[in-house]
Amino acid sequence: MKAVILAGGLGTRIAEESDYKPKPMVEVGGRPLLWHIMKSYSKHGIKDFVICLGYKGYVIKEYFFNYYRHTADLEINLRTGEAAVLDTQAEDWTITLIDTGQDTMTGGRVKRVRQYLAEETFCLTYGDGLSDIDISREVEFHKSHGKLATVAAVQPPGRFGVLNMGQNANVTSFEEKPQDEIGWINGGFFVLEPSALDYIEGDDTSFERAPLANLAKDGQLMAFQHHGFWQPCDTLRDKRELQALWDAGSAPWKA
């Protein structure tokens, strides 16, 4: 099974870093978000990746082009320029890097890589969210219901505490960042049949809008409820929170 990763957006909300590189290349624990996501899939036996490039895609290409040697012990003859790899810690992944356009929307990016998916069930996710989701269980759930699409449903923690008040403005209870403040949302980890891509018209189609809405309307979209850790890295604050978890040795997504 292949995993498609959307890695072509601008990442304007974390411009402090995305001015210089794609958001999936923002580092947590000395590794790009993209690498962490791929490690999560690899943990569940999915090691064949199709990465949809766009904004500053060359940065991602250069990272993986040099990855083998950057993770290796080398012996270099400075006189001849010859180099021998003594040992490498590189993962056994196969990565297909496809330029899907600078301004292409998420749906358009996925449609552009359809030819690389061998018309088989595949996973899809964004290049900026970390989670400890059980991908194997989600795939099993998808295969069990026979629909075209499965989306991971998550309940993000609220940003603010909630006050419950009585008629006289007295506070009856206080909940610090309740988990169910906004209910279930799209967690960004999908399992799809190739024919689900028929719901995408072209480059200007956002996958999160008409395609998902129409899949749901046709009874072809199922939700896999994930109750564990999930957090996007949209802002510098998000990055610092993820880094703090990593530094404390308590990163739930760590494979």
Coordinates of all heavy atoms in Angstrom, one line a residue, residues 142 145-151 191-193 195-196 199 212 214-222:
H142 N -11.5 0.5 7.0 CA -11.8 0.9 5.7 C -12.2 -0.3 4.8 O -13.2 -0.3 4.1 CB -10.7 1.6 5.0 CG -10.9 2.0 3.6 ND1 -11.6 3.1 3.2 CD2 -10.5 1.3 2.4 CE1 -11.7 3.1 1.8 NE2 -11.0 2.1 1.4
H145 N -15.8 -1.9 5.6 CA -17.1 -1.2 5.3 C -17.4 -1.1 3.8 O -18.5 -0.9 3.4 CB -17.2 0.1 5.9 CG -16.2 1.1 5.6 ND1 -16.0 1.6 4.3 CD2 -15.3 1.8 6.3 CE1 -15.1 2.5 4.2 NE2 -14.6 2.7 5.5
G146 N -16.3 -1.3 3.0 CA -16.5 -1.3 1.5 C -16.9 0.0 0.8 O -17.2 0.0 -0.3
K147 N -16.7 1.1 1.5 CA -17.0 2.4 0.9 C -15.8 2.9 0.2 O -14.7 2.3 0.3 CB -17.5 3.4 2.0 CG -18.7 2.9 2.8 CD -19.9 2.7 1.9 CE -21.1 2.3 2.8 NZ -22.4 2.1 2.0
L148 N -15.9 4.1 -0.4 CA -14.8 4.6 -1.2 C -13.8 5.4 -0.3 O -12.6 5.5 -0.7 CB -15.3 5.5 -2.3 CG -16.1 4.9 -3.4 CD1 -16.5 6.0 -4.4 CD2 -15.4 3.8 -4.1
A149 N -14.2 5.9 0.8 CA -13.3 6.8 1.5 C -13.5 6.6 3.1 O -14.7 6.5 3.5 CB -13.6 8.2 1.1
T150 N -12.4 6.7 3.8 CA -12.4 6.8 5.2 C -11.6 8.0 5.7 O -10.5 8.2 5.2 CB -11.8 5.5 5.8 OG1 -12.6 4.4 5.5 CG2 -11.8 5.6 7.4
V151 N -12.1 8.7 6.6 CA -11.4 9.8 7.2 C -11.3 9.6 8.7 O -12.2 9.1 9.4 CB -12.2 11.2 6.9 CG1 -13.6 11.2 7.5 CG2 -11.4 12.4 7.5
V191 N -8.0 6.9 4.1 CA -7.8 5.7 3.3 C -8.8 5.8 2.2 O -10.0 6.0 2.5 CB -8.0 4.4 4.2 CG1 -7.6 3.2 3.3 CG2 -7.1 4.4 5.4
L192 N -8.3 5.7 1.0 CA -9.2 5.9 -0.2 C -9.1 4.8 -1.2 O -8.0 4.2 -1.4 CB -8.8 7.2 -0.8 CG -8.8 8.5 0.0 CD1 -8.2 9.7 -0.7 CD2 -10.3 8.8 0.4
E193 N -10.2 4.6 -1.9 CA -10.1 3.8 -3.2 C -9.9 4.8 -4.3 O -10.2 5.9 -4.3 CB -11.5 3.1 -3.4 CG -11.8 2.1 -2.3 CD -10.8 1.0 -2.1 OE1 -10.3 0.5 -3.2 OE2 -10.4 0.7 -1.0
S195 N -11.2 5.2 -7.1 CA -12.4 5.9 -7.7 C -12.9 7.0 -6.9 O -13.7 7.8 -7.4 CB -13.5 4.8 -7.9 OG -13.7 4.1 -6.7
A196 N -12.4 7.2 -5.7 CA -12.8 8.4 -4.9 C -12.2 9.6 -5.6 O -12.8 10.7 -5.4 CB -12.3 8.3 -3.5
Y199 N -14.3 12.1 -7.9 CA -15.0 13.3 -7.3 C -14.3 14.6 -7.4 O -14.8 15.6 -7.0 CB -15.4 13.0 -5.8 CG -16.5 12.0 -5.6 CD1 -16.3 10.6 -5.8 CD2 -17.7 12.4 -5.2 CE1 -17.3 9.7 -5.6 CE2 -18.8 11.5 -5.0 CZ -18.5 10.1 -5.2 OH -19.5 9.2 -5.1
L212 N -15.2 15.8 -0.6 CA -15.7 15.1 0.6 C -17.2 15.3 0.9 O -17.8 14.4 1.3 CB -14.9 15.7 1.8 CG -13.4 15.2 2.0 CD1 -12.8 15.8 3.2 CD2 -13.3 13.7 2.0
N214 N -19.5 15.6 -1.4 CA -20.2 14.7 -2.3 C -20.1 13.2 -2.0 O -21.0 12.4 -2.1 CB -19.8 15.0 -3.7 CG -20.3 16.3 -4.2 OD1 -21.4 16.8 -3.8 ND2 -19.6 17.0 -5.1
L215 N -18.9 12.8 -1.5 CA -18.7 11.5 -1.0 C -19.6 11.2 0.2 O -20.3 10.1 0.2 CB -17.2 11.3 -0.6 CG -16.2 11.0 -1.7 CD1 -14.8 11.2 -1.2 CD2 -16.4 9.6 -2.3
A216 N -19.8 12.1 1.1 CA -20.7 12.0 2.2 C -22.1 11.9 1.7 O -22.9 11.1 2.2 CB -20.5 13.1 3.2
K217 N -22.5 12.8 0.8 CA -23.8 12.8 0.2 C -24.2 11.5 -0.4 O -25.3 11.0 -0.3 CB -23.9 13.9 -0.8 CG -25.3 14.1 -1.4 CD -25.3 15.2 -2.4 CE -26.7 15.4 -3.1 NZ -26.7 16.5 -4.1
D218 N -23.2 10.8 -1.1 CA -23.5 9.6 -1.7 C -23.3 8.4 -0.8 O -23.4 7.2 -1.3 CB -22.5 9.4 -2.9 CG -22.8 10.4 -4.0 OD1 -23.9 11.0 -4.0 OD2 -21.9 10.6 -4.9
G219 N -23.1 8.6 0.5 CA -22.9 7.5 1.4 C -21.6 6.8 1.3 O -21.5 5.6 1.7
Q220 N -20.6 7.4 0.7 CA -19.3 6.8 0.5 C -18.2 7.2 1.4 O -17.0 6.9 1.1 CB -18.9 7.0 -1.0 CG -19.8 6.4 -2.0 CD -19.7 4.8 -1.9 OE1 -18.6 4.3 -1.6 NE2 -20.8 4.2 -2.2
L221 N -18.5 7.9 2.5 CA -17.5 8.4 3.4 C -17.8 7.9 4.8 O -18.9 8.2 5.3 CB -17.4 10.0 3.4 CG -16.4 10.6 4.3 CD1 -15.0 10.3 3.9 CD2 -16.6 12.2 4.3
M222 N -16.8 7.2 5.4 CA -16.9 6.7 6.7 C -15.9 7.3 7.6 O -14.8 7.8 7.2 CB -16.8 5.2 6.7 CG -17.8 4.5 5.9 SD -19.5 4.5 6.6 CE -19.2 3.3 8.0

